Amino acid sequence: MWVCTMTPPVPRLATANMGPLLSLETRLIERSADIEAWFRQQWRNTAAPFYASADLRNAGFKLAPVDTNLFPGGFNNLSPSFEPLCIQAFQAAMKGICPDARHVVLVPENHTRNAFYLENVGTLHSLLSKAGYHVHIGSLSPHITAPTTIDLPVSGRQLTYEPLVRVGNTVRVGAIKPCAVLLNNDLSAGLPEILKGLEQTVLPPTGLGWHARLKSRHFGFYREVSAEIATLLDIDPWFIDPLFRNCGQINFLKREGEECLISNVERLLADIRQKYKEYDIDSEPFVIVKSDTGTYGMGIMTARSVDDVREMNRRARTHMSSAKEGNAVTGAILQEGVPTLERMGDDNATAEPVVYMIDQHVVGGFYRLNSQRGADENLNAPGMRFEPLAFEECGNHPEPGAGPDEQPNRFYAYGVIARLAALAASREAQALASLG
């Protein structure tokens, strides 16, 4: 039985939904039993990701994911009230994978000076420990050659990083040979030799790292699942699915592939305008251009016309060429821009929800806020901060007596869309596994 503790009042948004999205939220509440039955069937067919997060955008006329992360790095941003949910979800997930496991090795990113990321590792370590496992942090960093204690200045905790070592077809930390290796490293720098061909269970599978994964492939699977549930709900899937196109070969600095960008931005803007006209939406369409792999918030631009692509200056091209781990951007996804009407805080900052999942369960989330960015811009940028979604109630089920845009119904809607993104990722992983 899932436990949810009471918390202080939920931070209120400065906007309320009207029109099509209010109608969508109403439909989700009315059909919640059918939705949950549909999800149960989907999870029987396809195993859920071990954990995931989804960045959502609420435009007031549509609610859609704009990114899905299979190596979430913000567990420290969740409200402490979500801890019971997280612990129970980790227990359920691990029981299905390694029922006899006692030890888990957590493999983090290499940046040991990023205080916020280290707090995420500390929170993950704590949650897995409270779930009943001996947790060891196995580092891939060449600078970690012996057990190293790292102080966490925000929480005051300490972490011990140990070198991850290879023995045959297994990895170990010291003498510990774990049943499961949990990656909290998205492998943007590539798949290291030490993780290749392991006989142990690696979560998530290494093939889903950003060295191999494409956002355009993921959103292709998302298009499938959104169409399926839209049929169930008798709605236009566009209300929950961002249109997209992609350019496979591109070099921003050398202006190679520019014609692909220009033609696809033009077509995508036309498709968005057609939808806006169909639903009488008085808004200016825009396109988000970003790397087709993980960027860590880098290499993202807003295009309101093809001229924004044609007239990019040298500085903008350099910005668009940079990705995480110093990687060059060689492919781009062009995604329908979903403006966010959500605002929060004393500074009326632009806001978007980020929903966290463990296995098939929504376990919490937070708002990403940025007072320096507008409703049609990327918020994962300088000036960003986070506000936990401190639910008054769990948000894992709707409250029929409340309004469709009130808590917990707003968060139930978020959870439905986030789970669709997780389901798309599961099909992505299934397709990868079928390739051997």
Side-chain angles (χ1 to χ4, degrees), residues 50 87 95 100 117 170 201 213 220 270 280:
F50 183 79
I87 291 170
K95 182 178 179 181
D100 299 323
Y117 178 72
T170 67
T201 300
R213 188 174 175 231
D280 196 25

Side-chain angles (χ1 to χ4, degrees), residues 133-155:
Y133 298 94
H134 296 289
V135 185
H136 313 269
I137 301 176
S139 176
L140 296 171
S141 172
H143 304 295
I144 303 293
T145 58
T148 303
T149 299
I150 297 176
D151 295 318
L152 306 187
V154 177
S155 64

Side-chain angles (χ1 to χ4, degrees), residues 351-411:
E352 64 184 12
V354 183
V355 178
Y356 269 55
M357 294 153 285
I358 298 171
D359 195 61
Q360 58 186 271
H361 306 289
V362 174
V363 297
F366 49 85
Y367 284 106
R368 178 184 287 115
L369 308 178
N370 198 321
S371 60
Q372 301 175 26
R373 294 292 177 117
D376 60 353
E377 294 181 290
N378 168 44
L379 304 188
N380 188 2
M384 170 179 63
R385 68 183 195 271
F386 303 101
E387 178 75 48
L389 292 177
F391 294 170
E392 288 170 328
E393 297 185 37
C394 287
N396 285 330
H397 56 81
E399 179 53 61
D405 62 345
E406 295 182 10
Q407 280 46 316
N409 290 337
R410 167 65 53 79
F411 299 123

